[in-house]
Amino acid sequence: MSKTTRATQVLTQAGVTFTVHTYDYDPNAERVGLQAAEALGEEPHRVLKTLMAEVDGKPVCVVVPSDREVSMKRLASAFHGKSANMMKPADAERLTGYHVGGISPFGQKKIVPTAIEETALAEPVVYINGGQRGLQVRLDPKEALKALKAAAAPLIA
């Protein structure tokens, strides 16, 4: 497994301090983020999952704790829209250039508006997918917010 991906290259170019962590990705896991947290020996709320969604038909990226679910109402509100829905996996892969289970908010093929769950910013460090299945980057969530030019918003139910 390569530890250099578009995501890690973007973080390096942005001057973000991060470390790379690998784990045995289980393609049959019911919830990939929770499986990653367990494999890394981390609390699930510190391992963030990257989800691709649509608000009023436009693509957006949301980053939330792996043990929580996104509220579609809050998601729409965070992007000043009326309705939100999760993007189909094939559309998410085409838009980001990453495979489901390895989608990172960093280094996506097409840059889209991004929001990070505001409670994650209270953590000293979080893990976010590094652009490959079984690869996570550990970093300060405030640095992630800055590198993504993301908004912090209440996104979870």
Side-chain angles (χ1 to χ4, degrees), residues 61-65 69-71 73-80 114-121 145 150-157:
C61 178
V62 291
V63 182
V64 298
E69 295 298 321
V70 175
S71 159
K73 185 176 181 177
R74 287 183 169 195
L75 174 59
S77 177
F79 291 99
H80 311 290
T114 302
I116 297 176
E117 165 55 39
E118 64 185 8
T119 58
L121 299 176
L145 186 76
L155 299 166
I156 53 180

Side-chain angles (χ1 to χ4, degrees), residues 100-152:
V100 169
I103 293 178
S104 177
F106 309 105
Q108 293 185 1
K109 277 188 355 187
K110 181 173 188 213
I111 296 172
V112 300
T114 302
I116 297 176
E117 165 55 39
E118 64 185 8
T119 58
L121 299 176
E123 297 298 324
V125 293
V126 294
Y127 291 78
I128 299 176
N129 195 290
Q132 193 171 304
R133 293 171 178 160
L135 183 78
Q136 297 277 320
V137 292
R138 181 179 185 260
L139 71 169
D140 179 329
K142 292 171 192 73
E143 287 290 310
L145 186 76
K146 195 165 98 180
L148 291 165
K149 296 180 177 73

